[in-house]
């Protein structure tokens, strides 16, 4: 993108529509006079009086506890320098946007036109009662040091100058992980810091806190090495003066293990880089251009671990990995400060997160095949949704343990749920399924375990404690795929059905299948041959009770797989058809869609079975089914074709299953708009009810509907959930992600638990 194009797009982005990037949104009802009398006079007097009696009550009755001030005087704005308070406002609004989208924190950006540190401090102190925390931003050194220190000492809310501490925290995470990769120890490495401003000061202090030896650190400013022979050092630089008799960056880097650049572009040469120790760590953080170009550095040394401040290269040191979540944790315990313990807790939480398996959503966001801990992935990505639930609790715990929390958290599971709800990351149904599955994890067969997504899902499901995976396939091939993708197979069973040792089981399964299907032409030879196929073998494991459930379908065509399932598992008594359901998590609650996978052009008999199965499945998920049978016309308006067929199905359901809450045929808008439906069709059996289950007239409409909802990215979707087989065998879509597979494993485990309960207690299935 050219500079002029970027300029035009940036100006349009900020100016079009409503100018700026943030707004204030009411959080309480305001439509009636009663609402307004509570929001303002006379009702507002009551919380005012409570706060007058107890200042802490402000956290209960106002937005203080979730409100942060982003405050700047515009003296050191994003590499633009001293451009003034007003010119810096777009940056402060941008910071507010990041707080909101990443951690759900509300922000007022405040631009203070004051460069004198004392007067600036007094202004901030005067407005501090409004806020639960203060993020100081873009204030030049050395004034920023005095301002932060004074405000931390004189106020009792979290204060952080992010330009200092954000870079320190994120780079420290990268440093710890880089050291783990190259096998060096932090108390033995030699570090060169090029730059002596606010960020350099804070980074160096934090590295020392983490174990780096002060005598092993050399800091360089624009005049050269900061050493004890210099007479021009201020009080901020003197603590970092080295006794070594060196004066230049080139001298400092000879035999160094780490270079931290917080300076200007192109000051690090290839010759300097080559003079460093083996496996050098180079964090070139000058923006927009680093101290040495990424391509040049990588080409110069194969053993380098390299990071920049840019998003277009691996290992971006990005402050957004820290500040939203640090303030989230601090606010949630009403901390009086952000201390060293909380900062270190953030470092360790980020470092640990980097080493965990990366969700598909993160890989997709950065258009990479896979991210895994290594030289090009030593720091989490900013769009990783797990940052909130990893960092905020770590900060909150550190605040509690270090004695600065005024409202400690006692129920950490509840807090985790709160964080997930806050960001819309959580589907309560999925969470409930996981919790139920953990109570009684079952043996789940993964028939296509040489597929990377299946293997990742098995690892994740095992780590989550929701099942005991059984992988079908060649041990060596599975092990190779796992090793290439840093997947742990520890504790996971692998069954190679082609091994000679499985001959007895293959023959036993063949005998059982032959006895079951001999009247449909199945011979023993044919059945024996089928036992070398993973879907047949895996389903026989479920059929015989040697496994409890099975997941398949990411390779196989679902039509072929469902035919095998009909042969081996069979369809439930009283039914002639099976179906598939997808569950969509919407703002209005769960929406159940059927049939989304199996029946291309269902007959009236098939639609009747699908409706019955949908009714039973919705009950399985602890909801009361309210079913709309969909079409492109309403209640007999079209007497031919598909609408007429759906109309006949509804008549059949009303006659045979009078307790089922179902009606139609109807268009989708009438199904989902209760007010519109009840006004135009007051006779409907769905009157005054919210529809939660949609039965589509054919596969084309159902499949398109769920994929449309999925591709919007606005909804969590579970499925496809098979409906109608005798045992828990779930057949997935070929495009299923790891997250979707794990969700379906949880469904399969619950399905198996229900199946076990029915068998042990001699119960009858609803359908």
């Amino acid at each position: 993108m050219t500079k002029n194009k970027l300029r035009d797009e940036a100006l349009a982005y900020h100016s079009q529509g409503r100018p700026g990037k943030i707004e204030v949104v009411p959080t309480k009802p305001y439509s009636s006079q009663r609402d307004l009398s509570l929001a303002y006079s006379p009702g507002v007097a009551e919380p005012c009086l409570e706060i007058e009696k107890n200042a802490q009550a402000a956290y209960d009755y106002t937005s203080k506890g979730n409100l942060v001030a982003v405050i700047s005087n515009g003296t050191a704005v994003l590499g633009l320098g001293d451009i003034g308070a007003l010119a810096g406002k777009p940056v402060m609004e941008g910071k507010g946007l990041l707080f909101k989208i990443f951690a759900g924190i509300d922000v007022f950006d405040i631009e203070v036109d004051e460069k004198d540190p004392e007067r600036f401090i007094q202004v901030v102190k005067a407005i501090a009662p409004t806020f639960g925390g203060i993020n100081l931003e873009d204030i030049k050194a050395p004034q920023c040091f005095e301002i932060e220190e004074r405000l931390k000492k004189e106020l009792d809310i979290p204060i952080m100058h992010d330009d200092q501490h954000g870079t320190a925290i994120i780079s420290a995470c990268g440093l710890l992980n880089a050291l783990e990769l190259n096998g060096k120890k932090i108390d033995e490495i030699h570090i060169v810091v090029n730059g002596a401003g606010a960020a350099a000061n804070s980074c160096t202090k934090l590295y020392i806190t983490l174990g780096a030896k002060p005598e092993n650190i050399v800091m360089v400013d624009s005049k050269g090495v900061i050493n004890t022979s210099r007479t021009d050092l201020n009080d901020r630089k003197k603590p970092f003066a080295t006794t070594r008799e060196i004066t230049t960056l080139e001298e400092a880097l000879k035999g160094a293990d780490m270079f931290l650049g917080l300076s200007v572009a192109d000051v690090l040469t290839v010759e300097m880089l080559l003079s460093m120790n083996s496996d050098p760590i180079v964090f070139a953080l000058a923006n927009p251009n680093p101290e040495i170009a990424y391509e040049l550095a990588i080409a110069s040394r194969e053993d380098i671990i390299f990071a920049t401040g840019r998003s277009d290269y691996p290992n971006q040191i990005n402050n957004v990995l820290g500040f939203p979540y640090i303030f989230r944790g601090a606010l949630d315990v009403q901390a009086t400060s952000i201390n060293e313990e909380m900062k270190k807790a953030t470092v360790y939480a980020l470092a640990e997160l980097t080493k965990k398996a990366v969700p598909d959503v993160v890989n997709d966001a950065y258009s990479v095949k896979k991210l895994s801990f290594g030289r090009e992935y030593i720091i989490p990505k900013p769009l990783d949704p797990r940052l909130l639930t990893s960092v905020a609790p770590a900060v909150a715990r550190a605040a509690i343990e270090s004695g600065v929390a005024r409202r400690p958290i006692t129920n950490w599971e509840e807090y985790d749920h709160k964080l997930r709800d806050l960001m819309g990351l959580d589907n309560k149904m999925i969470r409930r399924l996981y919790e139920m599955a953990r109570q009684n994890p079952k043996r789940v067969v993964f028939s296509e375990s040489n597929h990377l997504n299946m293997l990742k899902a098995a690892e994740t499901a095992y780590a989550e404690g929701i099942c005991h995976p059984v992988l079908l396939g060649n041990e060596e091939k599975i092990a190779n795929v796992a090793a290439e993708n840093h997947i742990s197979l520890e504790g996971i069973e692998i069954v190679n059905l082609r091994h000679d040792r499985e001959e007895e089981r293959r023959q036993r399964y063949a005998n059982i299948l032959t006895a079951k299907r001999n009247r449909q032409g199945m011979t023993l030879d044919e059945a024996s041959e089928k036992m070398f196929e993973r879907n047949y073998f895996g389903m026989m494991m479920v059929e015989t009770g040697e496994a409890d459930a099975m997941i398949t379908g990411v390779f196989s065509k679902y039509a072929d797989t469902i035919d095998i399932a009909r042969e081996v598992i069979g369809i439930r008594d009283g039914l002639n058809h099976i179906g598939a359901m997808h569950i969509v998590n919407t703002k209005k609650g769960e929406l159940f869609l059927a049939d989304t996978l199996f029946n291309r052009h269902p007959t009236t008999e098939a639609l009747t079975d699908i409706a019955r199965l949908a009714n039973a499945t919705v009950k399985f998920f602890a909801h009361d089914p309210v079913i709309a049978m969909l079409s492109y016309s309403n209640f007999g308006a079209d007497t031919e074709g598909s609408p007429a067929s759906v109309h006949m199905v509804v008549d059949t359901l009303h006659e045979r299953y009078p307790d089922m809450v179902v009606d139609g045929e109807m268009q989708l808008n009438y199904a989902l708009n209760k007010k519109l439906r009840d006004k135009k069709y007051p006779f409907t059996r769905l009157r005054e009810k919210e529809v939660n289950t949609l039965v589509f007239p054919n596969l084309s409409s159902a499949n398109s509907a769920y994929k449309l909802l999925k591709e919007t990215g606005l909804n969590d979707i579970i499925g496809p959930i098979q409906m109608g087989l005798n045992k828990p065998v779930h057949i997935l879509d070929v495009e299923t992600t790891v997250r979707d597979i794990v969700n379906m494993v949880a469904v399969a485990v619950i399905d198996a638990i229900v199946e076990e309960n029915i068998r042990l207690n001699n119960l009858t299935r609803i359908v």
Side-chain angles (χ1 to χ4, degrees), residues 148-425:
E148 186 191 40
E149 288 170 6
R150 284 275 306 280
L151 290 173
K152 288 178 72 171
K153 188 180 297 182
E154 297 174 27
L155 294 175
D156 65 348
I157 57 175
I159 312 285
M160 188 170 82
H161 183 214
D162 187 47
D163 299 326
Q164 293 181 61
H165 307 299
T167 303
I169 290 165
I170 312 310
S171 67
C173 158
L175 174 57
L176 293 184
N177 279 339
L179 291 173
E180 182 172 331
L181 288 168
N182 67 20
K184 297 181 181 181
K185 296 180 180 179
I186 193 168
D187 60 350
E188 296 176 354
I189 62 169
H190 287 78
I191 301 172
V192 176
V193 181
N194 195 56
N201 186 296
S202 186
C203 287
T204 306
K205 286 182 176 178
L206 184 56
Y207 296 174
I208 292 171
T209 301
L210 293 170
K213 295 289 183 63
E215 59 268 27
N216 291 341
I217 299 174
V218 174
M219 187 177 286
V220 184
D221 65 9
S222 58
K223 297 179 181 179
V225 171
I226 296 173
N227 58 42
T228 52
S229 64
R230 283 176 54 175
T231 59
D232 60 342
L233 301 179
N234 60 33
D235 290 341
R236 299 290 174 182
K237 296 182 180 181
K238 285 180 181 178
F240 305 112
T242 181
T243 58
R244 293 173 62 189
E245 295 181 1
I246 52 175
T247 58
T248 67
L249 176 62
E250 183 178 8
E251 292 175 310
L253 278 169
K254 290 178 180 177
D257 298 285
M258 180 190 185
F259 170 85
L260 173 64
L262 297 158
S263 52
V264 294
D266 302 325
V267 296
L268 181 62
T269 67
V270 170
E271 290 72 24
M272 293 179 191
L273 190 60
L274 292 173
S275 74
M276 296 178 69
N277 274 340
S278 61
D279 296 300
I281 300 166
V282 176
F283 291 176
L285 306 185
N287 261 325
N289 298 313
E291 284 80 359
I292 184 171
Y294 170 80
E295 295 82 2
L296 185 59
I298 296 299
S300 301
R301 295 197 62 153
E302 293 183 355
D303 60 346
I304 194 172
I305 298 178
F306 194 81
T308 70
R310 293 176 50 151
S311 60
D312 51 347
Y313 298 127
N315 298 325
Q316 183 192 18
I317 307 290
N318 189 332
N319 287 15
V320 78
L321 294 170
F323 68 83
Y325 316 110
I326 294 169
F327 272 95
R328 178 76 275 158
L331 292 174
D332 289 339
V333 295
Q334 295 177 18
T336 57
S337 65
I338 294 173
N339 57 27
E340 290 303 308
E341 289 82 359
M342 295 158 75
K343 287 187 279 185
K344 286 199 293 183
T346 305
V347 173
Y348 292 129
L350 290 171
E352 187 61 31
L353 178 61
T354 316
K355 287 174 272 191
K356 294 182 178 179
V358 179
D360 277 357
V361 66
V362 179
N363 290 320
D364 292 344
Y366 292 93
S367 301
V368 295
K369 185 177 180 181
K370 59 180 173 56
L371 287 168
S372 60
F373 181 54
R375 289 176 180 268
E376 294 194 344
Y377 181 63
I378 58 172
I379 305 163
K381 292 291 188 180
L383 295 181
D384 193 323
R386 302 169 299 171
L387 285 162
L388 180 64
T389 53
S390 296
V391 178
V395 172
R397 285 183 188 276
I400 294 168
E401 292 169 2
S402 61
V404 297
R406 282 178 291 211
R407 185 174 289 181
I409 294 167
T410 56
N411 188 328
W412 290 97
E413 183 178 1
E414 184 180 289
Y415 181 55
D416 181 71
H417 294 169
K418 173 191 169 185
L419 292 175
R420 293 174 182 274
D421 290 343
L422 181 70
M423 290 300 293
L425 298 173

Side-chain angles (χ1 to χ4, degrees), residues 104-116:
I105 294 172
D106 298 315
V107 164
F108 289 164
D109 64 289
I110 299 180
E111 293 71 40
V112 180
D113 190 13
E114 182 55 69
K115 296 183 180 180
D116 178 75

Side-chain angles (χ1 to χ4, degrees), residues 29-66:
Y30 52 86
S31 57
S32 69
Q33 180 57 41
R34 177 66 173 168
D35 293 336
L36 296 179
S37 70
L38 293 172
Y40 197 55
S41 183
V44 74
E46 298 305 324
C48 291
L49 294 172
E50 291 299 313
I51 295 169
E52 182 187 28
K53 290 186 288 186
N54 175 17
Q56 285 300 109
Y59 287 94
D60 299 318
Y61 297 114
T62 75
S63 63
K64 177 182 174 76
N66 196 53

Side-chain angles (χ1 to χ4, degrees), residues 468-669:
H468 303 294
V470 179
L471 308 182
L472 298 187
N474 181 281
E475 305 98 315
E476 291 183 9
K477 288 183 179 179
I478 293 172
N480 288 338
V481 174
E484 288 172 5
N485 295 278
H486 305 279
I487 296 170
S488 172
L489 298 176
E490 186 176 353
I492 297 178
E493 179 183 354
I494 300 175
V495 174
N496 189 337
L497 62 158
R498 292 181 173 271
H499 267 328
D500 291 343
R501 63 173 175 263
E502 295 296 342
E503 182 178 357
E504 183 278 327
R505 182 150 51 168
R506 289 196 305 269
Q507 196 57 47
R508 177 161 48 87
Y509 288 172
N511 288 331
I512 294 170
L513 184 59
T514 303
K516 189 173 185 177
R517 302 289 299 175
N518 54 19
R519 290 291 180 178
Q520 285 79 39
M522 177 76 69
T523 66
L524 180 59
D525 288 343
E526 184 181 3
S528 297
E529 188 66 27
K530 290 182 184 299
M531 288 310 120
F532 287 97
E533 298 178 30
R534 278 180 284 186
N535 280 331
Y536 270 102
F537 189 93
M539 289 185 200
M540 284 304 302
M541 289 184 72
V542 177
E543 174 67 8
T544 60
E546 293 176 16
D548 302 296
M550 177 173 148
I551 298 290
T552 188
V554 292
F555 273 142
S556 316
K557 291 182 180 179
Y558 71 82
D560 296 338
T561 310
I562 200 60
D563 285 343
I564 298 172
R566 286 191 179 100
E567 286 183 31
V568 177
I569 302 297
I571 297 175
R572 294 179 196 168
D573 291 342
L575 295 168
N576 293 310
H577 304 83
I578 65 169
M581 173 177 283
H582 279 80
I583 307 174
V584 183
N585 186 40
T586 74
K587 290 183 178 180
K588 296 176 66 176
E590 280 80 25
L591 200 58
F592 301 84
L593 280 55
D595 162 44
T596 51
L597 194 61
F598 295 134
N599 297 280
R600 290 186 177 88
H601 302 288
T603 62
T604 55
E605 181 188 29
L607 276 176
T608 301
D609 279 355
I610 291 167
R612 294 173 60 206
L613 285 166
N615 189 65
T617 305
V618 174
K619 289 180 178 178
F620 172 85
F621 287 105
H623 284 61
D624 294 324
V626 179
I627 305 172
M629 303 292 294
L630 299 179
S631 186
Y632 57 79
S633 71
N634 296 297
F635 298 103
D638 193 328
T639 58
E640 297 181 359
S642 173
S645 296
V646 178
H647 194 88
M648 290 174 58
V649 171
V650 173
D651 286 345
T652 299
L653 293 171
H654 285 174
E655 179 183 347
R656 296 181 186 173
Y657 312 102
D659 293 334
M660 189 184 296
V661 183
V662 59
D663 214 342
E665 79 284 12
M666 68 180 74
Q667 295 171 339
L668 184 61
N669 57 324

